[in-house]
Structures are given as structure tokens and as C-alpha cells.
Amino acid sequence: MRRILVTGALGQIGSELVPALRARHGAEQVIASDIRVPPAGAGTDGPFAVLDVTNFRQLQDLVRRHEIGTLYHLAALLSATAEERPHVAWEINMGGLYKILEVARENRCALFHPSSIAAFGPGTPRAATPQDTVQRPNTMYGVTKVAGELLADYYAHRFGLDVRGLRFPGLISHTALPGGGTTDYAVAIFYDALRHGRYRCFLGPDTRLDMMYMPDAVRATLELMEADPARLEHRNAFNIAAANFTPAELAAEIRKHLPGFEIEYEVDPQRQAIADSWPQSLDDTAARTEWGWRPRYDLAAMTAEMLEQLRPKLKLA
Ligand code: AKB
């Protein structure tokens, strides 16, 4: 079997996807890569390479040297950072994807490329957003996600590349922190709830968004990549949904475990505007019918497990 390369492996998704891929295929079969060097002690459970995804030669060399057959391309800037540094976001999110697609084409690799709820914009129906609908985002992150979906579709149709993708909602994980996203509050709230008993939220109390616990996101990724290609009509990129809540609802759920927990709101206008431009919920019927997607974690199950996992990590009884 040809090997697997994961870009952005030290990020929020990569930190859990790499171990899942290694458990399935063997540690030596999965090359983790990132532009950052892993912190001492981390990244030693299998091969690791420093990789700048915008450097075509470095990428090509890595893919050929390790005989890569499948790429999981996770390296990207998230929404809030992309809005602060739009030129860098274009360079990394689009420039990186274009080079990954070219390397995948030349070496006949399969490719997973995540999209996001950010691929939709203010003109999109906000509730139960259909799989195929208006996509006119007004953020740089969203623009790169729509363009990425289209470019991936182009490579699939024009060159027969097996490229697949998911529109991830906000992702929640106890393993790695997200960085620079609009949905990051839904992770930070757990740390502050356990450490300080209170949290100051940068989104307003009624900001409703889809969210997903990382084990569901990792399983969705693996299931999509293993799905029978003959059944896939969409490929790039499927709506998927699991939990759906507002900051106030998440706070209420945390309070069931930590009765004294308090939340206050100090809205960041930029991140609030980004969240308000996104759908409140996605219709994931296509994912359910084309490859059998079923979430396992709702708000209650995710909250209970996040608190249980973070207590020992934060050295709290
Ligand atoms: C972000 O907030 O930027 C990401 C996303 C929804 O794609 N978590």
C-alpha cells in the first residue's frame, strides 16, 4: 500500500486524525507534516516532516520519496486570522491547495480537503442550508473555501482525481486547541469553566451554529475516504452536521455539570459579523444517503466527555 501524507498535522484536526490513521494503517504508513516543528516529545509516534505547503518542490519531493498514495490536506488559516491577514490566507489556503492538487495529479494520489460552513454567505438560506445552494461568502476564509471546492471539483472532472471533502462546522476537541477561528469559543469555554468557573464569550448569547465533536469529525473523514466512489455524487464538499447550539445553550449544558458556572458576553464585532454571515444549521441529507453519515455526539454527550477528558489534563480532580 502506498503511504499517507497529512499536512497541517499539528493543528486541531491533524492532532486526532494522524493517530486514527496510524491505528488503522500502521504508524510507518502515515507521514505527519507541518510547517512547525513538533514540541519536544510530540510527533515521535511515527514519521514527521517539516513541510511548507506553498513550496511545490518540497511537497513533490516528500510525496515521491515516501511513495504517497493519499493526501489529507489540513494546512490552512481559519476564519478570524484569514480576515486579519487576507493576503496570507489566499497564499496559504489557495496557493497551498493548488500545489497539493497538482502534486496529487502528477502522482495519482487520492486527496481529502476540508471545506467549512464558511463556504456559505449572507445570501444563503440560514436554516437547514441545502447541500446545493447559493455560495457567496463575504469573508476571505469563505472565499478560499468556495474556490477550493470548485477547484477540487475541476480536478476531479478534468483529470479524474479522487478528491473528496466535508463542510466542517465548528470543531470541538480536548486534544488540541483551535487557532484563529470564529467557533473557537466552544473550546475555550470548557477550559475557563474548569479553571475559573466563568467565561467571557466573544460571540453573543443567541449566535446559533452547527458544531461537531472531534471524534465525529475524524470518523466522518475516514468514512468519506473509504466510501464507495460509485455512490458519491457530490465529493466536494458534503454538508455534515452533529450538534447545534448557541453560546447560552452551551453554557446551560455546562452548568448541569458545574452548577456555579457563569458566562458573560463581550462581543467582538469582527467575529460576530463572520458568525452572522454563516448558516445556523446545515442539511446533511446528501452525506447520509451517499455514504451513510450518522453523528454520535450531540450537545449533551459532547459536553460530558469534554469535561471528563479535560479534568485530568488540567490536573483538576
Ligand atoms: C472557523 O471558525 O474558522 C472554523 C470553521 C467553522 O471553519 N472553525
Side-chain angles (χ1 to χ4, degrees):
M1 192 189 108
R2 291 203 292 162
R3 293 194 182 86
I4 294 167
L5 175 65
V6 181
T7 73
L10 298 180
Q12 197 198 14
I13 304 176
S15 300
E16 294 191 48
L17 182 64
V18 169
L21 287 167
R22 286 185 171 152
R24 243 174 163 88
H25 302 285
E28 293 306 311
Q29 288 298 109
V30 181
I31 320 299
S33 74
D34 203 286
I35 196 158
R36 293 172 288 167
V37 178
T44 50
D45 52 349
F48 182 90
V50 173
L51 172 67
D52 173 357
V53 291
T54 64
N55 183 329
F56 183 81
R57 287 188 120 173
Q58 209 182 26
L59 186 56
Q60 177 79 294
D61 175 59
L62 198 64
V63 165
R64 292 198 169 152
R65 192 155 30 94
H66 291 283
E67 296 178 4
I68 300 297
T70 306
L71 292 153
Y72 288 81
H73 177 47
L74 308 178
L77 295 194
L78 293 185
S79 54
T81 312
E83 222 35 47
E84 276 160 26
R85 303 169 71 200
H87 300 97
V88 181
W90 181 262
E91 183 62 25
I92 294 176
N93 293 12
M94 283 316 293
L97 176 62
Y98 177 66
K99 280 159 190 135
I100 288 275
L101 283 162
E102 271 301 287
V103 167
R105 181 181 68 79
E106 286 188 12
N107 297 278
R108 305 310 303 162
C109 299
L111 170 62
F112 174 81
H113 171 248
S115 186
S116 161
I117 54 174
F120 299 108
T124 303
R126 291 196 77 202
T129 300
Q131 173 69 39
D132 301 306
T133 184
V134 179
Q135 288 186 266
R136 306 281 295 174
N138 59 2
T139 64
M140 178 51 97
Y141 179 64
V143 167
T144 66
K145 287 301 176 189
V146 176
E149 289 184 12
L150 292 173
L151 195 58
D153 274 346
Y154 176 77
Y155 271 71
H157 297 138
R158 176 78 170 77
F159 304 117
L161 205 69
D162 185 3
V163 46
R164 308 180 187 189
L166 298 168
R167 290 181 184 136
F168 281 129
L171 296 178
I172 299 168
S173 157
H174 57 81
T175 303
L177 290 168
T182 301
T183 57
D184 294 9
Y185 90 84
V187 179
I189 193 171
F190 286 100
Y191 283 80
D192 281 14
L194 283 167
R195 281 185 179 134
H196 312 298
R198 55 191 306 119
Y199 177 65
R200 184 173 295 168
C201 188
F202 58 76
L203 294 183
D206 303 321
T207 310
R208 179 168 298 285
L209 292 168
D210 271 337
M211 297 277 178
M212 186 175 286
Y213 193 39
M214 193 61 83
D216 267 344
V218 167
R219 191 171 49 80
T221 303
L222 299 177
E223 286 178 5
L224 174 63
M225 290 305 277
E226 286 164 8
D228 176 1
R231 288 184 60 200
L232 301 183
E233 278 176 41
H234 287 89
R235 290 175 167 268
N236 308 290
F238 285 94
N239 283 3
I240 48 166
N244 182 272
F245 52 81
T246 65
E249 287 166 358
L250 176 55
E253 191 60 38
I254 291 174
R255 222 171 274 124
K256 290 182 188 166
H257 302 263
L258 304 170
F261 173 63
E262 283 176 28
I263 187 163
E264 58 186 318
Y265 298 92
E266 190 176 273
V267 171
D268 167 9
Q270 190 180 51
R271 282 182 285 189
Q272 186 67 52
I274 294 174
D276 290 343
S277 77
W278 290 350
Q280 293 187 315
S281 64
L282 297 191
D283 175 353
D284 62 0
T285 307
R288 288 172 182 264
T289 51
E290 289 178 39
W291 50 278
W293 161 243
R294 296 282 179 283
R296 290 191 188 147
Y297 288 88
D298 59 9
L299 171 61
M302 178 275 293
T303 302
E305 201 171 297
M306 276 295 283
L307 292 170
E308 189 186 313
Q309 295 291 335
L310 281 178
R311 270 197 182 96
K313 184 171 171 178
L314 300 178
K315 299 191 175 20
L316 301 164

